[in-house]
Amino acid sequence: MEETHNNRTSLVRGAKDIAKEAKRQAAKNFSKAVDRASDEYSSQRSYNRFQNEDEEENNYNSYTQQDGLYADNATNEEDGASSDATEGHDDEDEIYEGEYQGVPGYNDGKPRDGQVALGQPVSDSLKSRKELENERQADEEELAQQYELIMQECGHGRFQWQLFFVLGLALMSDGVEVFVVGFVLPSAETDMCVPNSGAGWLGSIVYLGMMFGAFFWGGLSDKVGRRQCLLISMSVNGFFAFLSSFVQGYSMFLFCRMVSGFGIGGAVPIVFSYFAEVLAREKRGEHLSWLCMFWMIGGIYASAMAWAIIPHYGWSFSMGSAYQFHSWRVFVVVCALPCVSAVVALTFMPESPRFYLEMGKHDEAWMVLKHIHDTNMRARGEPERVFTVNRIKIPKQLDELVEMQNESANPVLKVLFKIRAELRGIWLTFMKCFNHPVKENTMKLAAVWFTLSFGYYGLSVWFPDVIKHLQADEYASRVKIHNNERIEDFTFNFTLENQIHRNGVFVNDRFISMRFKAVTFIDSSFLNCYFEDVSSVGSLFRNCTFVDSFFYNTDIDDTKLTNSRVINSSFHHNKTGCQMTFDDDYSAYWVYFVNFLGTLAVLPGNIVSALLMDKIGRLSMLGGSMVLSGISCFFLWFGTSESMMIFMLCLYNGLSISAWNSLDVVTTELYPTDRRGTGFGFCNAMCKLAAVLGNLIFGSLVGITKAIPILLASSVLVGGGLVGLRLPDTRANVLM
């Protein structure tokens, strides 16, 4: 009787198993039929070829080929058999958690909990690191092809244009940061009484902050996301840029601008990585070039605001003698507005779906891609078009070795550990940029970035200073020289400008409510003279003698009395701080206007490069632009007037912009997604390092010789262009 019962139980169990397999095969056949119909409907745009259609069939064959089929496993099945009450419940029938939000399920090749992976390949724990990396590489290549088709289905429309303007504001902030340094440098150093030993530090320290910021934020964006890193970096920039306009000490001002530069350093590498990951291949070159135009707009904005604000020193106000707020500080506040606007706009944008897929976040990526598709389709007037993507390939996720911390550890130690782990992750990703197959490309890109930046920023420093020297020479040529004059009982209440007084004698003279501008007294004597409310800008008293003289509310101090003697004279209520009184300074207007013209000259080159980027090719435009820029530098040798130098500045800027645009596009396309931000950040850090060296080297040669700056800039630009031609062509690349 017991044997009959066992036979009956085995028979029932076998019938149930046969029913399950029949159900599974029927579902499989139905799925294949749906896929074929979907393929025909989508006009040869197929995503199902990236699925493993034979996976279930292989599992079934492997299952049925086990020795003894069901017989040998009868005991195990009896132990784990389902009761009649739960017989109709299978793990495969469970609702996928993402389906509540409309996210389709996906298969990452791993068995679910409670399932036996019969016939599966060797588990990941038994594979070597190299084997796992090879599998991930294969997944990456598969995903790259699939993602390109997905972006083609999403189309190019309203979403891309919205992101274009948001990221454009961030890139505009980077351009403003570069130009604001040069514009506020003379005013800030004068306002804060910076000695000559500290002059020039502002320009260098801001570029150093941008160098470290580019490397840090670019690397971090590969770990935590493009949007999140860009939000944080731009917030840091905006806060410290705004704060710098109110601090009074030069050292604190330097610190604020350095941290501000550290924040904005992440803009360029993240912006181009972010935008490239929502563009289809045929749109990428052109629209990344259009995005570059915002950097030029930032330069135009900064030049125009400097021209309109800084020379108006009457806009300043003071709170006692300790706090001064001059017009250049208003300019700093105005220049922070694009950054604030970018931060606000970024809060409404989603994360890069390509980054989500790289991190294995299938649901988040699918929802962002569907949002892109639906936004573009609604804008086209086709809201009924359905997003047909139902499954997206996810690369194999390689577990990283992470040290475990004690749960009861100090919160501060946990934060420090987290920071150390992130920094270590950034460093490891950076080292991957020097692995095959991107090692050689990294070295070439670094060389091209360095040479292009060295020539561009070096000449950007040299051009305005050369023009200033030409103006100074012309100004000095009109100086009035007075020798052996004697003036008694006279009241000076007007401005003395661009004069030299030698061996003069001033007796019982009064200098009231006046100023000396570029006036030098040499070997002169002042006997019983009265000075009240006097400003002396660029003026000196050299080897002079003051006898029985009285000074009240003047800025004449020891720094302006060179080798002079003061006998029975007194100084009362001297003016504190450095006096900024160039309310009608023509040279200030002229320098800002020249920079405005030079930046505006970039516009034609930007338009041409955007239209021809995909037609001529990235490399041809990169190498050709750098070589032509180097040749145009050589003709600076023949510039002998202001108008000639300004024309050559505009020509150089117009030719070099195509190289910058091409380099941004090539760098974005050469690096795979998992190290795109890191590689771009490293190249941009090399750019800022070259800017620092260019400032120091070219700045030291101003007024000494024209040969070295011209030959140096020309040679590095031509050499960098030739290296750029050796880079691989990325026009047909999909984003790996």
Side-chain angles (χ1 to χ4, degrees):
M1 186 70 178
E2 184 177 355
E3 182 178 357
T4 303
H5 176 72
N6 291 337
N7 291 338
R8 185 180 301 169
T9 302
S10 300
L11 191 61
V12 171
R13 188 180 297 114
K16 289 180 179 179
D17 290 335
I18 292 172
K20 281 185 178 181
E21 295 303 328
K23 177 182 177 182
R24 185 175 299 160
Q25 288 299 314
K28 178 174 176 293
N29 293 336
F30 177 77
S31 177
K32 286 184 177 181
V34 171
D35 288 344
R36 284 193 295 269
S38 177
D39 290 344
E40 295 175 359
Y41 173 78
S42 59
S43 301
Q44 298 181 351
R45 177 181 291 149
S46 174
Y47 305 101
N48 294 305
R49 66 187 181 89
F50 300 100
Q51 304 169 13
N52 191 353
E53 296 184 60
D54 298 329
E55 183 178 351
E56 293 182 2
E57 184 176 353
N58 292 337
N59 292 344
Y60 173 70
N61 293 338
S62 175
Y63 180 75
T64 56
Q65 290 171 2
Q66 301 296 321
D67 293 340
L69 294 176
Y70 308 101
D72 293 344
N73 298 324
T75 305
N76 294 334
E77 288 187 297
E78 188 172 348
D79 293 337
S82 302
S83 65
D84 291 339
T86 61
E87 182 178 321
H89 178 74
D90 292 332
D91 288 336
E92 295 180 356
D93 295 333
E94 292 180 356
I95 297 178
Y96 173 61
E97 59 181 359
E99 290 182 7
Y100 291 109
Q101 298 178 345
V103 182
Y106 69 96
N107 186 1
D108 57 2
K110 298 179 181 179
R112 299 185 183 181
D113 295 339
Q115 290 182 332
V116 180
L118 296 176
Q120 291 286 343
V122 180
S123 66
D124 290 348
S125 61
L126 300 179
K127 295 179 181 178
S128 66
R129 182 77 179 183
K130 185 175 182 180
E131 291 175 329
L132 294 175
E133 290 177 350
N134 289 337
E135 290 184 13
R136 179 180 173 85
Q137 179 66 22
D139 291 345
E140 287 280 5
E141 294 174 358
E142 196 172 317
L143 172 60
Q145 299 294 334
Q146 183 187 12
Y147 191 78
E148 182 63 33
L149 293 176
I150 293 174
M151 292 313 304
Q152 289 177 8
E153 178 172 342
C154 291
H156 188 92
R158 176 178 292 176
F159 177 85
Q160 280 83 0
W161 286 112
Q162 289 173 348
L163 187 61
F164 173 80
F165 286 106
V166 172
L167 297 180
L169 287 173
L171 197 59
M172 178 180 172
S173 302
D174 182 85
V176 169
E177 188 74 20
V178 170
F179 282 89
V180 74
V181 173
F183 291 148
V184 305
L185 188 60
S187 300
E189 291 177 344
T190 302
D191 188 18
M192 298 179 181
C193 305
V194 179
N196 292 333
S197 59
W201 268 104
L202 178 59
S204 299
I205 203 167
V206 169
Y207 284 124
L208 286 175
M210 296 174 76
M211 179 182 72
F212 289 106
F215 181 80
F216 175 78
W217 296 112
L220 193 64
S221 69
D222 287 332
K223 295 297 179 183
V224 302
R226 320 297 194 206
R227 172 182 172 274
Q228 185 174 351
C229 275
L230 189 58
L231 264 175
I232 299 173
S233 66
M234 296 298 294
S235 299
V236 170
N237 170 251
F239 176 78
F240 282 94
F242 185 78
L243 182 64
S244 69
S245 66
F246 295 96
V247 299
Q248 292 293 296
Y250 189 60
S251 58
M252 190 62 184
F253 181 75
L254 284 177
F255 173 77
C256 289
R257 296 312 303 186
M258 181 186 68
V259 180
S260 174
F262 176 79
I264 200 61
V268 173
I270 299 178
V271 160
F272 284 100
S273 300
Y274 192 175
F275 194 49
E277 291 170 356
V278 296
L279 294 174
R281 179 173 53 194
E282 64 271 10
K283 298 285 187 180
R284 200 160 52 234
E286 177 184 351
H287 287 271
L288 286 178
S289 298
W290 288 123
L291 185 64
C292 295
M293 190 164 58
F294 279 94
W295 196 92
M296 175 207 68
I297 294 174
I300 293 177
Y301 175 82
S303 301
M305 292 299 102
W307 190 21
I309 296 175
I310 293 180
H312 295 283
Y313 297 105
W315 293 8
S316 63
F317 68 89
S318 61
M319 298 175 62
S321 61
Y323 191 87
Q324 305 286 332
F325 196 92
H326 292 291
S327 57
W328 68 267
R329 298 180 182 272
V330 178
F331 168 71
V332 172
V333 173
V334 171
C335 286
L337 296 180
C339 179
V340 175
S341 303
V343 171
V344 174
L346 269 171
T347 58
F348 298 97
M349 304 308 297
E351 181 57 85
S352 164
R354 187 67 177 83
F355 171 79
Y356 274 147
L357 291 173
E358 196 69 25
M359 295 293 105
K361 298 180 179 180
H362 173 275
D363 297 358
E364 293 87 341
W366 187 89
M367 293 180 69
V368 173
L369 289 170
K370 186 176 186 301
H371 169 68
I372 296 173
H373 174 273
D374 293 347
T375 301
N376 291 340
M377 292 306 110
R378 285 195 298 268
R380 291 182 183 179
E382 302 176 4
E384 72 282 354
R385 181 171 293 186
V386 179
F387 187 47
T388 62
V389 178
N390 55 15
R391 194 176 306 183
I392 308 174
K393 182 71 178 179
I394 290 183
K396 180 180 288 294
Q397 301 300 305
L398 302 181
D399 297 330
E400 296 183 358
L401 180 61
V402 180
E403 300 177 14
M404 301 302 295
Q405 285 290 100
N406 189 354
E407 291 295 331
S408 61
N410 190 299
V412 177
L413 294 179
K414 287 185 176 181
V415 172
L416 294 177
F417 170 76
K418 179 66 174 177
I419 294 175
R420 187 181 69 175
E422 292 295 344
L423 292 176
R424 181 174 179 270
I426 293 173
W427 178 255
L428 292 177
T429 306
F430 169 65
M431 295 307 296
K432 289 182 181 179
C433 295
F434 294 90
N435 294 339
H436 182 78
V438 297
K439 177 181 179 180
E440 186 177 353
N441 294 335
T442 298
M443 302 301 294
K444 292 178 181 177
L445 282 172
V448 177
W449 275 94
F450 186 90
T451 53
L452 181 58
S453 177
F454 184 81
Y456 179 83
Y457 287 103
L459 289 175
S460 297
V461 172
W462 189 68
F463 269 127
D465 284 343
V466 166
I467 293 176
K468 287 181 182 178
H469 274 267
L470 291 173
Q471 291 177 342
D473 292 341
E474 183 183 357
Y475 188 74
S477 66
R478 294 185 279 108
V479 65
K480 296 179 180 179
I481 301 177
H482 302 271
N483 293 315
N484 302 318
E485 60 184 341
R486 182 182 179 87
I487 301 176
E488 297 184 23
D489 296 319
F490 186 81
T491 300
F492 294 87
N493 55 5
F494 48 86
T495 298
L496 295 180
E497 180 180 359
N498 197 19
Q499 298 179 6
I500 297 177
H501 297 262
R502 284 196 178 96
N503 299 317
V505 177
F506 300 87
V507 181
N508 296 326
D509 292 324
R510 293 165 297 280
F511 301 85
I512 300 175
S513 299
M514 65 161 301
R515 60 179 179 150
F516 300 109
K517 181 179 178 182
V519 178
T520 303
F521 293 91
I522 303 174
D523 298 324
S524 298
S525 299
F526 297 84
L527 306 177
N528 196 27
C529 292
Y530 181 80
F531 297 83
E532 180 181 353
D533 193 18
V534 175
S535 298
S536 55
V537 180
S539 300
L540 290 174
F541 298 86
R542 188 179 302 161
N543 299 325
C544 295
T545 301
F546 295 86
V547 179
D548 297 328
S549 297
F550 185 85
F551 297 83
Y552 180 81
N553 193 30
T554 70
D555 63 350
I556 301 174
D557 54 19
D558 293 339
T559 61
K560 298 179 180 180
L561 301 176
T562 306
N563 296 326
S564 297
R565 295 184 301 164
V566 180
I567 302 172
N568 293 332
S569 300
S570 58
F571 295 81
H572 298 275
H573 198 268
N574 268 25
K575 294 181 179 181
T576 60
C578 298
Q579 305 304 311
M580 302 179 65
T581 56
F582 294 110
D583 51 340
D584 58 350
D585 192 352
Y586 170 77
S587 63
Y589 281 100
W590 187 244
V591 170
Y592 302 140
F593 180 67
V594 168
N595 279 276
F596 178 79
L597 289 179
T599 310
L600 195 63
V602 173
L603 181 60
N606 214 320
I607 295 175
V608 170
S609 65
L611 295 176
L612 300 181
M613 185 67 68
D614 292 317
K615 295 180 175 63
I616 295 179
R618 288 88 157 113
L619 301 186
S620 299
M621 189 163 292
L622 172 61
S625 176
M626 291 187 69
V627 171
L628 290 176
S629 299
I631 295 174
S632 68
C633 286
F634 184 76
F635 286 98
L636 290 172
W637 201 304
F638 307 100
T640 56
S641 63
E642 291 183 43
S643 57
M644 182 65 177
M645 297 297 292
I646 293 171
F647 172 76
M648 295 307 302
L649 168 66
C650 295
L651 178 63
Y652 170 77
N653 286 347
L655 291 173
S656 63
I657 189 60
S658 297
W660 284 110
N661 293 0
S662 305
L663 193 55
D664 290 330
V665 176
V666 170
T667 306
T668 302
E669 295 176 334
L670 274 180
Y671 285 105
T673 303
D674 63 341
R675 69 200 86 164
R676 180 171 297 119
T678 304
F680 206 129
F682 167 69
C683 292
N684 201 250
M686 295 299 296
C687 167
K688 298 306 184 288
L689 176 62
V692 174
L693 296 178
N695 278 328
L696 296 177
I697 295 174
F698 283 78
S700 63
L701 297 173
V702 173
I704 299 176
T705 177
K706 291 173 61 176
I708 296 178
I710 291 173
L711 293 177
L712 188 59
S714 298
S715 59
V716 297
L717 286 171
V718 173
L722 296 177
V723 174
L725 291 173
R726 304 288 297 175
L727 289 166
D729 189 9
T730 60
R731 195 172 2 176
N733 284 11
V734 293
L735 288 182
M736 289 292 296

